[in-house]
Amino acid sequence: MSATIKDVANECGLSVATVSRVLNNSANVSEDSARRVNEAIEKLGYSPNFLGRNLRKRETNVILVIMPTSEHSFYMKIVAGIQAYAQPRGYDIICASSNSTSEIEVRQMNMLFNRTVDGVILLGTSYDAETLNRLSKTYDIALCCEGVDGAELLTVVVDDEQAAYDAVRELIRLGHRRIGFLGANDRAVSSNFRRKGYIRALKESGIEVRNDLIYKGNFEYEHGALGFDKLMSAAEPPTAIFCVSDLLAIAAIHRAVDRGLRVGDDISIMGFDNITMCEMMLPTVSTVEQPCSKLGEMVVRKLMSNIGLPAASKDNGFYTVPHRVIIRESVKPYKNRT
Amino acid sequence: MSATIKDVANECGLSVATVSRVLNNSANVSEDSARRVNEAIEKLGYSPNFLGRNLRKRETNVILVIMPTSEHSFYMKIVAGIQAYAQPRGYDIICASSNSTSEIEVRQMNMLFNRTVDGVILLGTSYDAETLNRLSKTYDIALCCEGVDGAELLTVVVDDEQAAYDAVRELIRLGHRRIGFLGANDRAVSSNFRRKGYIRALKESGIEVRNDLIYKGNFEYEHGALGFDKLMSAAEPPTAIFCVSDLLAIAAIHRAVDRGLRVGDDISIMGFDNITMCEMMLPTVSTVEQPCSKLGEMVVRKLMSNIGLPAASKDNGFYTVPHRVIIRESVKPYKNRT
DNA sequence: GTGAAAGCGCTAACAC
DNA sequence: GTGTTAGCGCTTTCAC
């Protein structure tokens, strides 16, 4: 087995207390002792066991990020943002994917319950509001990217309703009036908000909201083609489509091309998230940018300052970060063709 | 604070030993006691503290996966494969990204040294062979996807040389004779092997290996355009390009289109990895598939059986999993144009 | 400036 | 079938 603090103490002829002091750079240890301790550590290749330390200190300085799926590069960008903030400030970030399965999610949440980590950031969850409210009394939990209706715990998201509104307004400004919506089903809070924003933008411009131009599936690639076909089968098919994820938009673009349409010219397609792939695609994909590093930074910053606080004084606020509509090749002004 | 095993014992009027027995489903506990313990657990909302448990058991049942970057969806697919195998067998998988920075990697490796995790899987590393060999004596470490020259520790990869050979053979079979190579610099072991395979395929078909058709950058997107331009500036530019990553291939495709070329017809481009994006792209991207779930499963399976074994009996073998060349729209037979 | 010792929460020998 | 207790490796009072 590897060396313990006791071994180090024996090696340098000092007590474990002194070794511990050196380990934690605490004051009141002579230069000479420090040197002897460090030599012994070096000699034995000693590395402190954090299970012992954390058990004693009742903290681990580790935060777990649980994401619904590891397939979305979007989530990993958030994690990168979280890490960039937390790492230099003494917290390690680890992440796990629940595959959108509540069973796996619960299992991973166990790391929080059993004190393997100090806090958890959920980028989407299958917990309901009631459970989250209860858990967040005892544990440090935050939501990011995807809120939960009625949940009163730290949440950091973009203003989905406004973001969708802004995106659809842009399509309208470009002359489109038959605009389709490719979204997720009603359980997805963010998709619902985006649908509301879509509807608000239409109404505000005096455009009729038509049910055959609204598709509800989920955020995944597969639904892009399904939704596209459904929308295009409408009596008066859309000239532009707003999708609640870039993956949906990319799939829709693919499907449009397969059907012989020129994306941009014949049909405009807009996504949401601004994943890296948007700029890699041909055509490049218009989208609503979610500021991943900002989202990550804010949520972990607030979570970190919650850790250790009594339940009553924890920040369980709802925060939004600014979004940005980005027009690329997949969206062009509407031209009335003969 | 949350309840401890002692609280549970007090609550149900039994000893901590009995509670512990119930917690660990060990034999020798009466039905009645078990019931009382479970009731107390329920009542107190008790969840065992794993710091205590792990400290005592000297194991955590957690494996850490360190990847060079979280931007590559490829890595996340490996992680998914690892998780799919490990999770049901009692191991939790967590992952972290080193941003290809040795400083961050070391910091994350600390979780191994300080016993927060039982083992580590490195999907690429900045450690040298010597260090890895030394560390793997004391700790459970495995390499996946990217080997290290001279490292004698558990490694699971595809046969990069053969995979590249097979891919380039396929291009040759389709009539191409001026074939470019878009690769990484010499420190990347996998890229080196792929370059060797590329050269072997050319030589075997009596095709001259030309230095102006070989580009060395790295695996990232940015180098795709740079490399493409470099190769196309050759006196006799290639009619097909083999890239060591799909990201490179996608960037090259993008660049080709920007330069007015029809990918497939005017120039064939092949990638490596088979990331999800390959099928999303327009045109779809030909590639060499790395069987991510198989890679992940094999490496974690072997690592798991290493854990707890004395250094001498650990499996430090070098294993390969089968690859597969996939031809999609980005590669077409060479047609001599006038 | 240093050491002795208690104790973080848990498991597992051992005794009964 | 159950309880007592030592101790996993560490930090931190409290003496000195």
Side-chain angles (χ1 to χ4, degrees):
Chain A
M1 288 319 291
S2 44
T4 72
I5 197 172
K6 218 168 174 176
D7 299 328
V8 177
N10 284 131
E11 179 67 29
C12 65
L14 291 161
S15 73
V16 291
T18 304
V19 176
S20 175
R21 288 191 189 100
V22 173
L23 251 27
N24 296 284
N25 316 305
S26 73
N28 299 328
V29 42
S30 72
E31 289 239 340
D32 182 61
S33 300
R35 193 185 38 73
R36 279 161 65 195
V37 168
N38 283 320
E39 278 171 13
I41 287 175
E42 184 72 22
K43 180 169 173 199
L44 298 176
Y46 167 75
S47 182
N49 181 324
F50 273 35
L51 295 173
R53 163 188 294 207
N54 294 341
L55 176 58
R56 179 62 219 235
K57 295 185 108 172
R58 296 148 157 274
E59 65 175 21
T60 63
N61 284 307
V62 178
I63 290 172
L64 171 68
V65 182
I66 302 180
M67 45 194 170
T69 154
S70 48
E71 297 291 293
H72 277 47
S73 66
F74 172 64
Y75 291 127
M76 292 312 293
K77 284 177 96 169
I78 305 269
V79 174
I82 293 173
Q83 194 162 316
Y85 183 86
Q87 198 99 259
R89 289 167 182 79
Y91 274 86
D92 275 320
I93 300 300
I94 60 177
C95 55
S97 158
S98 68
N99 294 330
S100 299
T101 311
S102 79
E103 192 195 337
I104 301 185
E105 188 183 353
V106 168
R107 179 168 172 158
Q108 290 164 345
M109 285 292 283
N110 266 323
M111 299 188 74
L112 182 62
F113 306 147
N114 68 33
R115 302 292 171 185
T116 303
V117 301
D118 290 344
V120 160
I121 297 172
L122 297 168
L123 313 181
T125 177
S126 37
Y127 281 111
D128 58 26
E130 197 195 349
T131 312
L132 286 172
N133 291 339
R134 181 170 46 75
L135 290 176
S136 65
K137 295 269 181 295
T138 321
Y139 303 100
D140 287 292
I141 307 178
L143 263 33
C144 185
C145 305
E146 183 80 29
V148 169
D149 241 351
E152 287 177 10
L153 74 168
L154 185 56
T155 302
V156 180
V157 291
V158 296
D159 184 341
D160 286 299
E161 200 271 351
Q162 184 66 37
Y165 170 86
D166 291 343
V168 175
R169 280 285 293 179
E170 186 63 23
L171 293 173
I172 293 170
R173 198 184 63 75
L174 290 170
H176 295 279
R177 294 190 64 83
R178 295 206 307 277
I179 300 174
F181 177 85
L182 225 68
N185 63 43
D186 293 340
R187 275 172 312 175
V189 176
S190 64
S191 178
N192 284 346
F193 277 116
R194 291 172 200 173
R195 183 152 32 75
K196 280 181 197 150
Y198 157 82
I199 290 172
R200 175 159 69 96
L202 294 190
K203 284 194 172 153
E204 195 179 284
S205 297
I207 301 173
E208 185 197 357
V209 176
R210 284 165 37 185
N211 270 329
D212 59 352
L213 291 190
I214 294 181
Y215 175 86
K216 294 181 185 179
N218 64 34
F219 292 94
E220 305 304 321
Y221 188 77
E222 292 64 35
H223 276 266
L226 297 173
F228 184 83
D229 285 345
K230 196 262 187 184
L231 297 187
M232 295 309 277
S233 70
E236 294 180 280
T239 65
I241 297 179
F242 170 66
C243 312
V244 297
S245 82
D246 288 330
L247 283 187
L248 284 175
I250 289 168
I253 287 170
H254 217 123
R255 188 77 181 135
V257 170
D258 285 350
R259 291 173 60 151
L261 295 170
R262 290 167 307 165
V263 173
D265 295 316
D266 297 333
I267 182 146
S268 286
I269 297 180
M270 176 170 279
F272 203 107
D273 289 345
N274 193 30
I275 61 178
T276 315
M277 219 185 302
C278 288
E279 288 199 274
M280 299 185 182
M281 277 292 291
L282 296 162
T284 53
V285 184
S286 305
T287 191
V288 180
E289 179 189 53
Q290 295 210 52
C292 295
S293 29
K294 208 166 276 177
L295 278 163
E297 181 203 310
M298 187 185 282
V299 71
V300 76
R301 177 161 51 81
K302 292 185 178 297
L303 182 67
M304 277 165 56
S305 49
N306 268 354
I307 290 175
L309 257 46
S313 38
K314 284 192 206 295
D315 178 355
N316 62 357
F318 182 95
Y319 298 92
T320 60
V321 296
H323 56 270
R324 185 165 62 107
V325 177
I326 300 175
I327 301 299
R328 298 199 182 96
E329 294 164 0
S330 71
V331 166
K332 290 189 183 167
Y334 174 66
K335 290 196 198 86
N336 206 352
R337 283 176 297 279
T338 46
Chain B
M1 288 317 292
S2 47
T4 73
I5 197 171
K6 218 168 175 177
D7 299 327
V8 177
N10 284 125
E11 178 68 30
C12 66
L14 290 161
S15 73
V16 291
T18 304
V19 177
S20 175
R21 288 192 187 98
V22 173
L23 251 27
N24 296 285
N25 314 306
S26 72
N28 300 329
V29 43
S30 74
E31 290 237 342
D32 182 59
S33 300
R35 192 184 40 72
R36 281 162 61 197
V37 168
N38 283 320
E39 278 171 12
I41 287 175
E42 183 74 21
K43 182 170 171 199
L44 298 176
Y46 168 76
S47 184
N49 180 324
F50 272 35
L51 295 174
R53 166 188 291 208
N54 295 340
L55 176 60
R56 179 62 220 232
K57 297 184 105 170
R58 298 151 154 276
E59 65 176 22
T60 63
N61 283 307
V62 178
I63 290 172
L64 171 67
V65 182
I66 301 180
M67 44 194 172
T69 155
S70 48
E71 297 290 292
H72 277 48
S73 66
F74 172 65
Y75 292 127
M76 292 312 293
K77 285 176 95 168
I78 305 268
V79 174
I82 292 173
Q83 194 162 314
Y85 182 86
Q87 197 99 259
R89 288 167 181 79
Y91 274 87
D92 276 320
I93 300 300
I94 61 178
C95 54
S97 158
S98 69
N99 294 329
S100 300
T101 311
S102 79
E103 192 195 337
I104 301 186
E105 187 182 356
V106 168
R107 178 167 173 157
Q108 291 164 345
M109 285 292 282
N110 266 324
M111 300 188 71
L112 181 63
F113 306 147
N114 69 32
R115 303 290 172 189
T116 303
V117 301
D118 290 345
V120 160
I121 297 172
L122 297 169
L123 313 182
T125 178
S126 37
Y127 281 111
D128 58 27
E130 196 195 349
T131 312
L132 285 172
N133 290 340
R134 181 169 48 78
L135 290 176
S136 66
K137 296 269 179 294
T138 320
Y139 302 100
D140 287 292
I141 307 177
L143 262 34
C144 185
C145 305
E146 183 79 29
V148 169
D149 240 353
E152 287 178 12
L153 76 168
L154 184 56
T155 303
V156 180
V157 291
V158 296
D159 184 341
D160 286 300
E161 199 272 349
Q162 183 67 37
Y165 171 86
D166 291 345
V168 175
R169 280 286 292 180
E170 186 63 23
L171 293 173
I172 294 171
R173 199 184 63 74
L174 290 171
H176 295 280
R177 294 189 64 83
R178 294 206 307 277
I179 301 174
F181 177 85
L182 225 68
N185 62 43
D186 294 340
R187 275 173 311 177
V189 177
S190 64
S191 178
N192 283 346
F193 276 117
R194 290 172 201 172
R195 183 154 32 77
K196 281 183 194 147
Y198 158 82
I199 290 172
R200 175 159 69 97
L202 293 190
K203 284 195 172 152
E204 195 180 284
S205 296
I207 302 174
E208 185 198 355
V209 176
R210 283 166 36 185
N211 270 329
D212 59 352
L213 291 189
I214 295 181
Y215 174 86
K216 294 180 184 179
N218 65 34
F219 291 96
E220 305 305 320
Y221 188 77
E222 292 63 35
H223 277 266
L226 296 174
F228 184 83
D229 285 344
K230 196 262 188 184
L231 298 187
M232 295 309 277
S233 70
E236 295 180 279
T239 66
I241 297 179
F242 170 66
C243 313
V244 296
S245 83
D246 288 331
L247 284 188
L248 284 175
I250 289 168
I253 288 171
H254 218 122
R255 188 77 181 132
V257 170
D258 284 350
R259 291 173 59 150
L261 295 169
R262 292 166 306 165
V263 173
D265 295 316
D266 297 332
I267 182 142
S268 287
I269 297 180
M270 176 169 280
F272 203 106
D273 289 345
N274 194 30
I275 61 178
T276 315
M277 219 185 300
C278 288
E279 289 197 275
M280 298 186 180
M281 276 295 289
L282 296 162
T284 54
V285 183
S286 304
T287 192
V288 179
E289 179 189 55
Q290 295 209 53
C292 295
S293 32
K294 207 165 277 174
L295 278 162
E297 180 202 310
M298 186 185 279
V299 71
V300 74
R301 177 160 51 79
K302 292 188 179 295
L303 182 67
M304 277 165 57
S305 49
N306 268 354
I307 290 175
L309 257 47
S313 38
K314 286 194 204 293
D315 179 354
N316 61 357
F318 182 94
Y319 300 92
T320 59
V321 296
H323 56 270
R324 186 166 61 106
V325 177
I326 300 175
I327 300 298
R328 298 201 182 95
E329 294 164 1
S330 71
V331 166
K332 290 188 182 166
Y334 174 66
K335 288 196 199 89
N336 206 350
R337 284 176 297 280
T338 47

